[in-house]
Structure formats: structure tokens, C-alpha cells
């Protein structure tokens, strides 16, 4: 059964929260979607590599499940 995951973009005290989220089968599926999202944000210039940003995957209860450096 799919679950909802949220991808927040975080650097130090700066947080860009994902209020909508995405549906994924499990955390691994959500991680694959998050990696695609990171690729898109860096290729369009929305985020630059090495700027200290990371993408935090939260589950539907708001708990952090995984953190990926950008």
C-alpha cells in the first residue's frame, strides 16, 4: 500500500518544506524519487552542488526517514 513522503530541502536553519508530498510504495521508492528531484533541481540551477543543502525525506507522520546530501 503506497504511503505519502515529503521532500524538504534543508541548509543550516533554512528549510523549504514540501507540504504536498508524493506517494511511494516504500522508503526505497521514495528515495529513488528524491534522487530524481535532486537531479532536476541541480540541472535547472534551482540548487547548486556543494552549497550545503540536503534533502530530508519525511514520512506522513512527519518523522525524518532519510537525509541525502545535495
Amino acid at each position: 500500500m503506497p504511503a505519502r513522503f515529503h521532500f524538504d530541502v534543508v541548509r543550516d536553519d533554512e528549510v523549504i518544506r514540501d507540504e504536498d508530498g508524493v506517494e511511494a510504495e516504500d522508503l526505497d521508492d521514495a528515495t529513488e524519487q528524491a534522487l530524481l528531484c535532486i537531479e532536476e533541481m541541480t540541472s535547472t540551477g534551482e540548487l547548486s552542488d556543494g552549497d550545503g543543502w540536503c534533502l530530508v525525506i519525511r514520512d506522513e507522520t512527519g518523522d525524518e526517514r532519510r537525509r541525502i546530501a545535495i
Side-chain angles (χ1 to χ4, degrees):
M1 182 169 154
R4 183 152 298 275
F5 292 89
H6 301 268
F7 302 156
D8 299 337
V9 181
V10 178
R11 178 176 65 182
D12 300 324
D13 293 335
E14 201 172 346
V15 178
I16 302 169
R17 291 191 61 90
D18 171 17
E19 299 298 337
D20 298 327
V22 299
E23 283 195 4
E25 290 299 319
D26 54 25
L27 182 57
D28 289 335
D29 183 33
T31 301
E32 287 179 31
Q33 291 185 47
L35 291 171
L36 291 172
C37 182
I38 289 169
E39 184 179 313
E40 182 179 326
M41 286 188 296
T42 55
S43 70
T44 62
E46 289 179 72
L47 293 174
S48 300
D49 290 336
D51 283 348
W53 291 98
C54 65
L55 188 140
V56 174
I57 301 174
R58 291 183 293 117
D59 63 19
E60 49 198 20
T61 66
D63 291 334
E64 182 177 323
R65 299 295 307 273
R66 187 162 286 157
R67 186 173 285 250
I68 304 168
I70 297 176

